[in-house]
Coordinates of all heavy atoms in Angstrom, one line a residue:
G123 N -0.7 -6.8 -25.3 CA 0.0 -6.0 -26.3 C -0.7 -6.1 -27.7 O -0.9 -5.1 -28.3
E124 N -1.2 -7.3 -28.0 CA -1.8 -7.5 -29.3 C -3.2 -6.7 -29.4 O -3.5 -6.2 -30.4 CB -2.1 -9.0 -29.6 CG -0.8 -9.8 -29.9 CD -1.1 -11.2 -30.2 OE1 -2.3 -11.6 -30.3 OE2 -0.1 -12.0 -30.3
Q125 N -3.9 -6.7 -28.3 CA -5.1 -6.0 -28.3 C -4.9 -4.5 -28.4 O -5.6 -3.8 -29.1 CB -5.8 -6.3 -26.9 CG -7.3 -6.0 -26.9 CD -7.9 -6.3 -25.6 OE1 -7.2 -6.9 -24.7 NE2 -9.2 -5.9 -25.4
A126 N -3.8 -4.0 -27.8 CA -3.5 -2.6 -27.9 C -3.2 -2.2 -29.3 O -3.6 -1.2 -29.8 CB -2.3 -2.3 -27.0
K127 N -2.5 -3.1 -30.0 CA -2.2 -2.9 -31.5 C -3.5 -2.8 -32.3 O -3.5 -2.0 -33.3 CB -1.3 -4.0 -32.0 CG 0.1 -4.0 -31.5 CD 1.0 -3.3 -32.5 CE 2.5 -3.3 -32.0 NZ 3.2 -2.2 -32.4
E128 N -4.5 -3.6 -31.9 CA -5.7 -3.6 -32.7 C -6.4 -2.2 -32.6 O -6.9 -1.7 -33.5 CB -6.7 -4.7 -32.2 CG -6.4 -6.1 -32.8 CD -7.1 -7.2 -32.1 OE1 -8.1 -6.9 -31.4 OE2 -6.5 -8.3 -32.1
L129 N -6.4 -1.7 -31.3 CA -7.0 -0.4 -31.1 C -6.2 0.7 -31.6 O -6.8 1.7 -32.0 CB -7.2 -0.3 -29.5 CG -8.2 -1.2 -28.9 CD1 -8.1 -1.1 -27.4 CD2 -9.7 -0.8 -29.3
C130 N -4.9 0.6 -31.5 CA -4.0 1.7 -31.9 C -2.8 1.1 -32.6 O -1.8 0.8 -32.0 CB -3.6 2.4 -30.6 SG -2.4 3.7 -30.9
P131 N -2.9 1.0 -33.9 CA -1.8 0.3 -34.7 C -0.5 0.9 -34.5 O 0.6 0.2 -34.6 CB -2.3 0.4 -36.2 CG -3.8 0.6 -36.1 CD -4.0 1.4 -34.8
D132 N -0.4 2.2 -34.2 CA 0.9 2.9 -34.0 C 1.5 2.7 -32.6 O 2.6 3.3 -32.4 CB 0.8 4.4 -34.3 CG 0.5 4.6 -35.8 OD1 0.8 3.7 -36.6 OD2 -0.1 5.6 -36.1
V133 N 0.7 2.1 -31.7 CA 1.2 2.0 -30.4 C 2.6 1.3 -30.3 O 2.8 0.3 -31.0 CB 0.2 1.3 -29.4 CG1 0.1 -0.2 -29.6 CG2 0.5 1.6 -28.0
H134 N 3.5 1.8 -29.5 CA 4.8 1.1 -29.3 C 4.7 0.5 -27.9 O 4.4 1.1 -26.9 CB 5.9 2.1 -29.4 CG 7.2 1.4 -29.1 ND1 7.8 0.6 -30.1 CD2 8.0 1.3 -28.0 CE1 8.9 0.0 -29.6 NE2 9.0 0.4 -28.3
V135 N 5.0 -0.8 -27.9 CA 5.0 -1.5 -26.6 C 6.4 -1.8 -26.2 O 7.1 -2.6 -26.8 CB 4.1 -2.8 -26.7 CG1 4.1 -3.5 -25.3 CG2 2.7 -2.5 -27.1
F136 N 6.8 -1.2 -25.1 CA 8.1 -1.5 -24.4 C 7.9 -2.8 -23.6 O 6.8 -3.1 -23.1 CB 8.5 -0.4 -23.5 CG 8.8 0.9 -24.1 CD1 7.8 1.9 -24.1 CD2 9.9 1.2 -24.8 CE1 8.0 3.1 -24.6 CE2 10.2 2.4 -25.4 CZ 9.2 3.4 -25.3
H137 N 8.9 -3.5 -23.4 CA 8.8 -4.7 -22.6 C 9.8 -4.6 -21.4 O 10.9 -4.2 -21.5 CB 9.1 -6.0 -23.4 CG 8.0 -6.4 -24.3 ND1 7.0 -7.2 -24.0 CD2 7.7 -5.9 -25.5 CE1 6.1 -7.3 -24.9 NE2 6.5 -6.5 -25.9

Side-chain angles (χ1 to χ4, degrees):
E124 286 181 9
Q125 199 182 350
K127 287 262 183 213
E128 278 166 26
L129 290 166
C130 174
D132 292 336
V133 74
H134 177 78
V135 178
F136 298 100
H137 286 265

